[in-house]
Amino acid sequence: MRQLLESQADPAAMLLALMVARRGQLIPRDLAILERHQAFERLGIPRARFFQLADRALTGLGGSDCEHPWLDERARCYLDGLLETLVDTRQRRSICELAALVLAADDSASRVEPLVYHHVLAHWHIDPGAAAR
C-alpha cells in the first residue's frame, strides 16, 4: 500500500488514533493490530511520531472527557477540521480500513471509539461495509 503524502501523514495519524482510542487512550492490543498491518509504515511515520500525534489529537478532542455517547460541538469542530485536511480518497479509505481492523477485533469497544469512526465515515461518505474489507 502506498504511503501517505508527507503533508497528510500527521492528520491521518491523528484521525486513526481518534478512531481507535478507548476512553482517551491507545490500548496495547489495538496497537499490536496496527503494527501487524504495518499502519505506521503506511502512514509514513515512525511509531514514536504516531504516539506524539495521537496524544495531540486526543487532547484536542477532549481525551478521556469524551466518554459520553455523542460528540459535543467543540469535539465535532476539532474532528471536522482534521477531516478536511485529508483530501486523497485512497488515503481516507486506508485509515478507515485500519480502524475497521481494530474495531472488528475488539469485543468490548467503548461508546466513543465507534462514534468517532462512524462520524469519519459519514463525513467522508464512506460505506462502513467497504471500510471493513
Side-chain angles (χ1 to χ4, degrees):
M1 165 119 350
R2 188 180 88 172
Q3 277 187 343
L4 292 171
L5 298 173
E6 188 172 320
S7 64
Q8 298 204 350
D10 286 3
M14 293 169 78
L15 285 165
L16 179 58
L18 291 173
M19 286 190 281
V20 301
R22 292 191 223 180
R23 295 181 187 98
Q25 297 180 348
L26 297 172
I27 306 301
R29 178 176 159 210
D30 296 344
L31 292 168
I33 293 168
L34 293 176
E35 286 177 333
R36 202 168 36 251
H37 292 279
Q38 302 170 333
F40 310 123
E41 292 84 2
R42 289 167 67 173
L43 289 167
I45 59 173
R47 188 177 194 270
R49 178 70 177 149
F50 178 79
F51 285 106
Q52 292 171 341
L53 294 166
D55 185 55
R56 184 188 321 165
L58 291 165
T59 299
L61 191 64
S64 60
D65 295 333
C66 289
E67 292 191 28
H68 45 74
W70 66 88
L71 291 170
D72 63 29
E73 184 178 346
R74 184 193 56 76
R76 271 193 323 274
C77 288
Y78 178 80
L79 186 55
D80 289 347
L82 281 174
L83 290 166
E84 292 303 317
T85 63
L86 198 62
V87 295
D88 185 284
T89 303
R90 288 184 296 181
Q91 293 167 344
R92 288 176 172 185
R93 288 189 187 282
S94 178
I95 64 167
C96 289
E97 288 169 4
L98 289 167
L101 290 167
V102 172
L103 291 171
D106 188 6
D107 54 356
S108 62
S110 72
R111 289 184 195 175
V112 176
E113 187 178 3
L115 178 68
V116 172
Y117 172 73
H118 287 291
H119 179 84
V120 170
L121 294 180
H123 187 89
W124 284 339
H125 307 288
I126 295 175
D127 175 35
R133 291 182 196 164

